[in-house]
Amino acid sequence: MEQGSAREGVRPAYAPGAFSRAPGDGRMPECRVPEQARGEQPGVEWPGARPADGEQARGEHTHSEPPAPRVVQRHSVRGQILDALRAALVDGELVPGQVYSAPALAARFGVSATPVREAMQRLAVEGAVEVVPNRGFRVSERGPRELAELAEVRALIEVPVMMGLARTVPAHRWCGLRPLAEATVTAAAVGDRAAYAESDRAFHRAVLMLSGNEQLVAVADELHRRSQWPLVSGPATRRADLLADASEHTALLDALVSQDLAVVQALVREHFAGADR
């Protein structure tokens, strides 16, 4: 399930070796709504929902010609570097216990040291790295106990919310999450841990957004992100493990669409029970 064992957004393709990834194929599989749920009106958006990447916002004018190039601001570069560094953490390319300097990382990305330093400061606030004066940033070292504690706290938050949503959310809204669940399968199939981490968080965020509680979504997403950082020791997550975890997302959606609450409860509890593996 979870990496320790997303969005986020597309990571930039910087210089060679800069942690870039290829996107999935974007196909949207069929989702069949049970007969008893077909009376619901489709197309209703839940609170806090945002258009998917590449999706046209309502009222937005489209053009056949490509848009004019825009100047990339420094804060945009910092955000892209932050996304790439987060992916490197999940992939294990930034090794727990190792110290990395901003200039060295900047040379790897082909940018100045300033946005890298700012991104690493953000990771320090999140607890992913520690500041080492006059040297750089040390990647935090975590053990199995911390991972188990994070899984326990996430379960306390997400399990009751998901069970409540299973009783109240109409089937067609669960069908709308099918592409997100399939994105986790696509990433798992190629063993892309960073892409899986992003799509995994995106799926869980979309489920929790149905509650309409933005504070809950923010807290749960931060806990989820922290649970994806690698342990100080131990083997990398295998492709088979990723596929098994991704299949739980699609199975959960099937149960939610069919409104089988007993199966939903079993799958949700199993999903979080495996988060500390």
Side-chain angles (χ1 to χ4, degrees), residues 18-270:
F19 322 127
S20 61
R21 288 288 183 274
D25 58 14
R27 290 177 292 179
M28 298 177 61
E30 179 182 5
C31 182
R32 297 184 178 179
V33 180
E35 292 291 340
Q36 65 270 24
R38 291 181 183 176
E40 300 292 342
Q41 294 299 318
V44 181
E45 297 180 356
W46 54 85
R50 297 290 186 273
D53 290 343
E55 183 180 27
Q56 181 185 351
R58 294 182 180 178
E60 194 174 67
H61 185 60
T62 58
H63 300 273
S64 58
E65 297 181 0
R70 293 178 296 176
V71 177
V72 177
Q73 303 298 321
R74 193 183 74 174
H75 71 272
S76 298
V77 174
R78 178 184 59 191
Q80 294 175 55
I81 294 295
L82 180 59
D83 288 342
L85 289 172
R86 284 171 171 165
L89 280 168
V90 173
D91 271 340
E93 295 180 35
L94 294 180
V95 182
Q98 294 294 317
V99 177
Y100 297 88
S101 70
L105 289 173
R108 184 171 187 175
F109 287 117
V111 298
S112 69
T114 298
V116 174
R117 189 173 291 109
E118 291 172 343
M120 292 297 277
Q121 290 286 355
R122 174 61 186 173
L123 290 176
V125 172
E126 295 176 357
V129 301
E130 306 165 3
V131 177
V132 182
N134 301 319
R135 293 186 60 194
F137 302 86
R138 177 184 291 113
V139 178
S140 299
E141 301 177 86
R142 305 186 316 139
R145 178 174 178 176
E146 181 179 348
L147 188 62
E149 290 174 348
L150 285 167
E152 181 180 2
V153 176
R154 287 190 60 215
L156 289 172
I157 295 174
E158 295 194 40
V159 171
V161 173
M162 287 187 180
M163 291 307 303
L165 293 172
R167 296 182 178 92
T168 59
V169 173
H172 72 266
R173 288 194 176 183
W174 295 122
C175 284
L177 304 189
R178 183 73 64 179
L180 296 177
E182 291 296 331
T184 67
V185 176
T186 299
V190 295
D192 189 333
R193 295 191 300 273
Y196 181 83
E198 292 178 359
S199 57
D200 185 26
R201 286 200 319 278
F203 175 79
H204 280 261
R205 276 198 311 273
V207 170
L208 295 177
M209 283 172 64
L210 290 169
S211 71
N213 189 329
E214 295 184 1
Q215 298 306 312
L216 181 148
V217 174
V219 170
D221 189 57
E222 179 61 23
L223 291 170
H224 195 167
R225 185 191 303 280
R226 289 173 58 190
S227 74
Q228 294 173 329
W229 300 336
L231 300 177
V232 65
S233 61
T237 306
R238 299 178 303 168
R239 181 182 304 183
D241 294 330
L242 293 181
L243 281 170
D245 294 340
S247 68
E248 293 178 358
H249 294 149
T250 54
L252 176 59
L253 279 185
D254 290 339
L256 288 165
V257 169
S258 63
Q259 298 178 329
D260 190 335
L261 297 183
V263 174
V264 169
Q265 184 173 28
L267 286 171
V268 168
R269 294 192 181 282
E270 172 61 25

